[in-house]
């Protein structure tokens, strides 16, 4: 159980960090690879990511989270996320396979947006062949709050 999951008063919860949001995105990617979209673990991961993203955006004044990959590292604001867990490979590998520069998730992303992103990134070689195809697939799914970025 992480520190913020411990029962506490709402005003005593530690602020959501960038690493919290990234970790929750990785939880979603992992669960979405193993379970159907309507599985309780996937639903819980999506709900927590929505909450964490909103809290992080509110605390930082940002309207979207942009994560990139450079030389096998996950980066934000042109700096490597050294605190990101080893599970970050679950995001880095599909982005590198697509030749993508990263991913952007806007504040207010809906569960459908997040599930579509997890689907695009989680299918491995059976998924889109490049960043352009991934973007097309996300648009076809009706997403507006998630983007796979060009190289």
């Amino acid at each position: 159980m992480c520190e913020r999951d411990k029962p506490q008063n709402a005003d005593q919860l530690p602020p959501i960090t960038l690493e919290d949001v990234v970790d929750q995105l990785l939880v979603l990617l992992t669960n979405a690879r193993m379970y159907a979209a309507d599985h309780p673990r996937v639903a819980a991961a999506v709900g927590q990511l929505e909450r964490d993203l909103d809290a992080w955006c509110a605390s930082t004044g940002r309207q979207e989270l942009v994560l990139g990959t450079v030389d096998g590292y996950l980066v934000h604001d042109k700096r490597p996320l050294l605190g990101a867990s080893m599970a970050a490979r679950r995001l880095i590998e599909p982005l590198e396979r697509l030749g993508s520069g990263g991913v952007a998730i806007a504040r207010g992303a809906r569960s459908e947006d997040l599930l579509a992103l997890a689907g695009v990134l989680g299918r491995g070689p059976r998924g889109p062949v490049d960043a352009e195809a991934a973007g097309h697939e996300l648009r076809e799914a009706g997403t507006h709050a998630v983007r796979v970025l060009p190289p």
Side-chain angles (χ1 to χ4, degrees):
M1 179 184 297
C2 74
E3 188 65 31
R4 65 187 173 85
D5 292 334
K6 292 180 182 176
Q8 299 176 357
N9 293 331
D11 59 347
Q12 294 177 339
L13 291 175
I16 299 297
T17 66
L18 175 60
E19 287 77 13
D20 292 330
V21 180
V22 171
D23 284 347
Q24 195 56 47
L25 174 59
L26 298 173
V27 168
L28 171 60
L29 293 176
T30 300
N31 284 331
R33 285 182 181 155
M34 294 188 300
Y35 304 107
D38 61 349
H39 190 279
R41 287 186 185 211
V42 175
V46 167
Q48 189 63 53
L49 179 55
E50 287 174 309
R51 290 185 296 277
D52 286 357
L53 179 65
D54 187 61
W56 180 80
C57 286
S59 70
T60 61
R62 295 177 185 251
Q63 292 304 306
E64 77 177 346
L65 169 63
V66 178
L67 298 171
T69 59
V70 176
D71 296 329
Y73 290 97
L74 201 55
V75 296
H76 174 73
D77 282 346
K78 299 180 183 177
R79 293 183 177 171
L81 293 177
L82 300 176
S85 70
M86 292 300 291
R89 296 296 314 156
R90 294 204 180 265
L91 178 58
I92 295 167
E93 287 173 357
L95 291 172
E96 287 179 341
R97 180 182 51 76
L98 293 171
S100 170
V103 63
I105 307 171
R107 184 177 188 179
R110 305 165 301 149
S111 59
E112 295 85 3
D113 296 326
L114 299 171
L115 287 169
L117 180 63
V120 163
L121 297 177
R123 291 198 318 268
R126 297 181 318 262
V129 296
D130 58 22
E132 184 178 337
H136 178 75
E137 189 172 318
L138 289 171
R139 287 187 300 279
E140 287 291 312
T143 64
H144 300 286
V146 294
R147 297 177 291 135
V148 172
L149 302 174

